[in-house]
């Protein structure tokens, strides 16, 4: 080994142009952008934590005075010295209606998205995609109103049919309620979330790499088989994300549900039926906004809000796990 | 030989644009044909008409006749899906299905054909992976994702996937252009072995590769950008490289352009 193998940089005299360049202070833009994005990141975490802390701290005094079981009671009298309240009915209505909404909106949204990306004639794809994106941007209350008016007469015969044919199942037991059943809430929610599910799914499907699709076709896959082997597996995490986003909307949707719900009389019998009425978290809170006149009453509603907060968290965590578990296969 | 693949007077279009004009070619069973020529001359386009993959591209259409063992591949009653099960294809970039395991990738085509029997699938997977010289490298991790393999292994996985359905013809579109020299060597050795069972058509930018692996070479060229590509000449590989008839072939194979 001779001396010539020493890297020239090491022998370069201090103060030369090269050393000046590497020791120069970092560019201002880098530092400011770095600070700004750090700050934004910290702020988001802090904000979520603060919301959680606020909800818990407001809810605890009310919960500690509660004389009923908060999780299993259906009562809701939050005033006075002996408040009795629980979220059983709210939780059941909210989750059931949201599940019905998902069960309707996700398959339809995925099918519409597949039609636009894979089946529609070439000239139709771009306008259809734009249209779906526009529809997704319309506030969901507009679809809610439309669904409310158009689908009431459509859903009622279906409910009658279910209660006569499948009435022996607790889920479809007849209840005599004809207004805002849980099922009808679910249908209206489905209409409200359909555009967003469709728009996100379409976006994801459209990004399926051509090589995957051609790989399937070259093996002799039909169009449907190509979709099953290339498009759907590729789009699955995106569809799950879309579904979760939509579920978040469905769980929290307030105004449309508040219009529709048939509030159950206090002390009415418990039923598992989807054809019964009942309030969701959001509608219970919205319907009773006038009652927020004492910390105790407000605390009870905030406790209900806290459950909704946790519910959304759990749903999102489950979705993350599902997506992560498939990660080894998507890289 | 009855099982020839014959291309006669074929014109290929992308919408109104004529991409390739007047191609006539014959491929013999158990032989390797190489397509060479500068970029944009239509080599890959011609290759993709042989298994009706060209028409997957919007506006893609073909005039003329392409027959395999006497059957017109473009006859009205022929299902393109059936054509692709007989004429397999390997692409430029390795494209194993990313959500599938190595095993599932290999048997994907067989499953599409409706084969469900577990032991038959396992036999076919082993046979195909051995055929693609990949068995020894992956036999202990068949349930791992195919995307976790190296580029060269992924390409051999794609070859295994293509031969699992036992096609008559194997089309390869620059199969080594994304690979390192060692992996390229492995693929070339494999082509030599596969030749005993399949008719192979390979597009390549690597002239040495064409000279090494092929029995017949077809040189494509285009007069100018925007003009359709044409088949300039075709013949036994040694003749094309040593005694080309056309001046442009001579210029291309001797490295003066392209």
């Amino acid at each position: 080994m001779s001396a010539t193998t020493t890297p020239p940089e090491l022998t370069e005299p201090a103060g030369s142009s090269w050393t000046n360049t590497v020791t120069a202070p970092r560019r201002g833009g880098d530092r400011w952008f770095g600070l700004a994005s750090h700050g934004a990141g910290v702020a988001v975490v802090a904000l979520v934590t603060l919301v959680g802390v606020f909800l818990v701290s407001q809810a605890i005094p009310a919960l500690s005075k509660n004389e009923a079981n908060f999780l299993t009671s259906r009562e809701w009298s939050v005033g006075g010295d002996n408040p009795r309240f629980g979220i059983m009915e709210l939780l059941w209505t909210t989750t059931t209606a949201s599940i019905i909404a998902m069960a309707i909106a996700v398959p339809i949204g995925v099918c519409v998205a597949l039609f636009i990306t894979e089946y529609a004639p070439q000239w139709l794809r771009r306008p259809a995609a734009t249209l779906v994106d526009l529809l997704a941007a319309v506030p969901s209350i507009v679809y809610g109103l439309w669904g409310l008016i158009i689908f009431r007469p459509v859903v009622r015969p279906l409910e009658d049919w279910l209660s006569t044919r499948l009435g022996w199942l607790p889920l479809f037991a007849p209840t005599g309620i004809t207004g805002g059943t849980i099922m009808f809430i679910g249908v209206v929610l489905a209409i409200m979330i359909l555009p967003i599910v469709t728009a996100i799914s379409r976006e994801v499907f459209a990004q399926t790499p051509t090589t995957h699709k051609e790989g399937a076709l070259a093996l002799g896959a039909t169009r449907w088989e190509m979709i099953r082997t290339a498009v759907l597996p590729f789009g699955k995490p995106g569809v799950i994300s879309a579904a979760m986003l939509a579920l978040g909307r469905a769980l929290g949707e307030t105004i449309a549900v508040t219009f529709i719900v048939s509030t159950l009389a206090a002390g009415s019998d418990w039923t598992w039926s989807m054809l019964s009425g009942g309030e969701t978290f959001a509608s219970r809170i919205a319907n009773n906004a006038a009652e927020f006149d004492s910390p105790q009453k407000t605390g009870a509603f905030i406790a209900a809000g806290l459950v909704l907060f946790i519910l959304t968290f759990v749903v999102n965590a489950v979705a993350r796990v599902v997506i992560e578990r498939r990660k080894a296969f998507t890289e | 030989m009855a099982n020839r693949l014959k291309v006669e007077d074929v014109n290929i279009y992308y919408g109104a644009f004529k991409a390739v004009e007047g191609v006539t070619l014959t491929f013999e069973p158990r032989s390797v044909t190489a397509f060479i020529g500068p970029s944009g001359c239509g080599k890959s386009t011609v290759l993709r008409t042989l298994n009706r993959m060209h028409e997957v591209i919007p506006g893609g259409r073909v005039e003329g006749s392409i027959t395999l063992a006497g059957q017109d591949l473009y006859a009205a009653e022929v299902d393109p899906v059936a054509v692709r099960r007989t004429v397999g294809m390997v692409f430029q970039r390795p494209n194993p299905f990313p959500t599938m395991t190595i095993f599932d990738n290999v048997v994907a085509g067989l499953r599409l054909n409706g084969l469900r029997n577990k032991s038959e699938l396992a036999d076919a997977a082993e046979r195909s992976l051995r055929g693609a010289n990949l068995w020894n490298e992956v036999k202990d991790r068949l349930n791992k994702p195919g995307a976790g393999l190296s580029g060269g292994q992924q390409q051999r996985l794609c070859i295994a996937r293509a031969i699992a359905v036992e096609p008559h013809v194997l089309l390869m579109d620059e199969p080594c252009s994304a690979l390192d020299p060692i992996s390229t060597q492995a693929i070339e050795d494999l082509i030599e072995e596969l030749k005993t069972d399949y008719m192979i058509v390979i597009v390549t930018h690597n002239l040495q590769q064409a000279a090494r692996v092929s029995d017949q070479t077809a040189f494509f060229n285009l007069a100018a950008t925007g003009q359709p590509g044409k088949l300039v000449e075709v013949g036994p590989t040694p003749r094309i490289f040593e005694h080309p008839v056309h001046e442009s072939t001579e210029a291309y194979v001797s490295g003066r352009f392209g």
Side-chain angles (χ1 to χ4, degrees), chain A residues 107-151:
Chain A
I108 295 179
V110 166
C111 286
V112 174
L114 284 176
F115 171 75
I116 295 173
T117 53
E118 304 297 334
Y119 286 92
Q122 209 62 32
W123 57 266
L124 185 64
R125 291 185 188 183
R126 198 178 284 270
T130 313
L131 183 67
V132 166
D133 287 348
L134 284 175
L135 289 177
V138 173
S140 50
I141 184 66
V142 177
Y143 304 115
L145 275 177
W146 178 78
L148 200 62
I149 294 158
I150 303 295
F151 274 82

Side-chain angles (χ1 to χ4, degrees), chain B residues 36-63:
Chain B
I36 59 171
S39 296
C41 67
K43 316 179 288 291
S44 294
T45 305
V46 173
L47 189 79
R48 289 168 62 96
T49 58
L50 302 180
N51 67 340
R52 298 191 62 168
M53 282 297 285
H54 175 67
E55 66 202 58
V56 169
I57 296 164
R61 94 197 135 77
V62 178
E63 288 172 2

Side-chain angles (χ1 to χ4, degrees), chain A:
Chain A
M1 295 293 268
S2 69
T4 54
T5 56
T6 312
E9 289 90 334
L10 295 181
T11 59
E12 207 162 339
S16 78
S17 63
W18 187 80
T19 12
N20 277 343
T21 316
V22 289
T23 56
R26 283 200 296 162
R27 309 278 158 90
D30 269 352
R31 208 169 54 220
W32 285 115
F33 185 74
L35 275 176
S37 50
H38 257 93
V42 171
V44 167
V45 177
L47 212 60
V48 174
T49 316
L50 282 177
V51 169
V53 169
F54 168 81
L55 291 177
V56 171
S57 69
Q58 298 285 303
I60 282 176
L63 283 175
S64 61
K65 286 190 76 177
N66 186 8
E67 295 187 354
N69 186 319
F70 180 63
L71 292 179
T72 57
S73 168
R74 291 175 56 221
E75 292 169 87
W76 197 267
S77 76
V78 294
D81 290 335
N82 306 91
R84 298 181 63 81
F85 57 91
I87 54 157
M88 179 73 162
E89 180 195 313
L90 305 181
L91 187 63
W92 167 253
T93 313
T94 306
T95 48
T96 314
S98 299
I99 290 169
I100 294 170
M102 303 289 289
I104 298 171
V106 173
I108 295 179
V110 166
C111 286
V112 174
L114 284 176
F115 171 75
I116 295 173
T117 53
E118 304 297 334
Y119 286 92
Q122 209 62 32
W123 57 266
L124 185 64
R125 291 185 188 183
R126 198 178 284 270
T130 313
L131 183 67
V132 166
D133 287 348
L134 284 175
L135 289 177
V138 173
S140 50
I141 184 66
V142 177
Y143 304 115
L145 275 177
W146 178 78
L148 200 62
I149 294 158
I150 303 295
F151 274 82
R152 182 66 271 181
V154 176
V155 175
R156 187 158 310 155
L158 177 67
E159 289 174 345
D160 290 343
W161 185 87
L162 284 172
S163 63
T164 41
R165 296 298 170 86
L166 297 169
W168 50 273
L169 279 171
L171 219 46
F172 301 111
T175 59
I177 287 176
T178 53
T181 60
I182 296 177
M183 185 159 175
F184 184 52
I185 295 174
V187 170
V188 172
L189 285 177
I191 295 162
M192 297 173 81
I193 63 176
L194 184 57
I196 188 83
V197 175
T198 311
I200 299 178
S201 305
R202 189 207 64 78
E203 186 72 41
V204 180
F205 293 150
Q207 284 169 8
T208 312
T210 314
T211 65
H212 297 174
K213 288 159 65 170
E214 291 195 335
L217 288 174
L219 277 181
T222 61
R223 182 138 42 174
W224 161 238
E225 288 166 340
M226 181 273 284
I227 289 171
R228 226 180 45 201
T229 42
V231 179
L232 287 181
F234 178 84
K236 192 172 155 192
V239 172
I240 293 174
S241 302
M244 289 307 121
L245 202 62
L247 183 56
R249 284 191 173 195
L251 288 172
E253 176 52 43
T254 312
I255 300 299
V257 178
T258 310
F259 283 167
I260 308 170
V261 285
S262 298
T263 313
L264 295 176
S268 57
D269 287 336
W270 171 255
T271 161
W272 293 104
S273 179
M274 287 171 15
L275 308 178
S276 171
E279 284 203 84
T280 67
F281 285 105
S283 76
R284 168 67 51 87
I285 295 171
N287 266 335
N288 298 285
E291 277 193 50
F292 299 174
D293 50 11
S294 77
Q296 179 190 314
K297 288 184 184 172
T298 315
F301 287 100
I302 286 179
L306 182 63
V307 177
L308 190 55
F309 187 78
I310 295 169
L311 191 62
T312 333
F313 247 78
V314 170
V315 164
N316 269 297
V318 170
R320 293 268 154 234
V321 170
V322 172
I323 295 170
E324 286 292 319
R325 227 184 26 187
R326 300 292 298 178
K327 207 167 192 180
F329 286 90
T330 53
E331 279 165 356

Side-chain angles (χ1 to χ4, degrees), chain B residues 98-133:
Chain B
T99 54
M100 289 187 191
T101 64
I102 294 171
F103 181 85
D104 290 340
N105 260 291
V106 178
V107 300
L110 295 169
R111 288 211 172 115
L112 289 176
N113 284 336
L115 189 62
R116 288 284 174 274
N117 184 310
K118 280 216 172 77
S119 69
E120 278 180 52
L121 286 175
D123 289 347
E126 179 171 347
R127 192 169 58 241
S128 311
L129 285 167
R130 281 189 193 283
N133 288 338

Side-chain angles (χ1 to χ4, degrees), chain B:
Chain B
M1 290 284 255
N3 290 329
R4 279 188 184 129
L5 178 61
K6 287 179 97 162
V7 174
E8 282 167 285
D9 284 325
V10 161
N11 299 324
I12 310 171
Y13 297 84
Y14 291 101
F17 174 63
K18 191 192 243 186
V20 177
E21 185 177 61
V23 173
T24 299
L25 259 174
T26 304
F27 307 89
E28 301 291 340
R30 298 176 222 299
S31 77
V32 179
T33 301
F35 287 1
I36 59 171
S39 296
C41 67
K43 316 179 288 291
S44 294
T45 305
V46 173
L47 189 79
R48 289 168 62 96
T49 58
L50 302 180
N51 67 340
R52 298 191 62 168
M53 282 297 285
H54 175 67
E55 66 202 58
V56 169
I57 296 164
R61 94 197 135 77
V62 178
E63 288 172 2
S65 128
I66 300 178
T67 56
L68 178 61
Q71 168 67 53
D72 184 356
L73 297 184
Y74 283 81
E77 73 278 8
V78 170
D79 182 1
V81 167
V83 171
R84 293 176 201 139
R85 288 181 184 186
T86 314
V87 185
M89 186 163 191
V90 176
F91 294 82
Q92 184 171 357
R93 301 201 68 85
N95 60 348
F97 299 124
T99 54
M100 289 187 191
T101 64
I102 294 171
F103 181 85
D104 290 340
N105 260 291
V106 178
V107 300
L110 295 169
R111 288 211 172 115
L112 289 176
N113 284 336
L115 189 62
R116 288 284 174 274
N117 184 310
K118 280 216 172 77
S119 69
E120 278 180 52
L121 286 175
D123 289 347
E126 179 171 347
R127 192 169 58 241
S128 311
L129 285 167
R130 281 189 193 283
N133 288 338
L134 191 59
W135 175 250
N136 287 327
E137 291 157 66
V138 301
K139 64 183 175 201
D140 300 321
R141 45 172 170 159
L142 292 175
N143 287 319
K144 292 280 189 308
L149 300 172
S150 75
Q153 289 173 326
Q154 286 188 24
Q155 193 62 299
R156 277 179 283 149
L157 178 59
C158 292
I159 294 174
R161 182 175 73 184
I163 61 179
V165 290
E166 301 184 342
H168 290 78
V169 183
L170 196 55
L171 309 177
M172 298 178 144
D173 190 356
E174 298 186 42
C176 302
S177 67
L179 305 181
D180 63 273
I182 306 277
S183 307
T184 300
Q185 176 74 51
I187 303 276
E188 287 184 10
D189 292 347
L190 181 55
I191 290 172
E192 194 62 35
E193 289 168 29
L194 292 174
K195 198 174 105 172
T196 55
D197 294 313
Y198 304 95
M199 176 195 301
I200 295 175
V201 186
I202 178 172
V203 170
T204 179
H205 271 292
N206 181 333
L207 293 174
Q208 287 80 16
Q209 180 171 66
R212 283 192 298 264
V213 302
S214 71
D215 305 301
Q216 171 180 249
T217 296
F219 172 63
F220 292 81
N221 201 359
L222 71 175
T225 314
Q227 300 284 312
K230 287 182 177 172
L231 173 62
V232 176
E233 86 178 276
V234 58
T237 299
R239 184 186 70 67
I240 293 288
F241 278 87
E242 283 150 35
H243 309 288
V245 174
H246 285 262
E247 207 174 318
S248 61
T249 316
E250 157 84 42
Y252 187 77
V253 300
S254 61
R256 285 209 295 279
F257 87 102

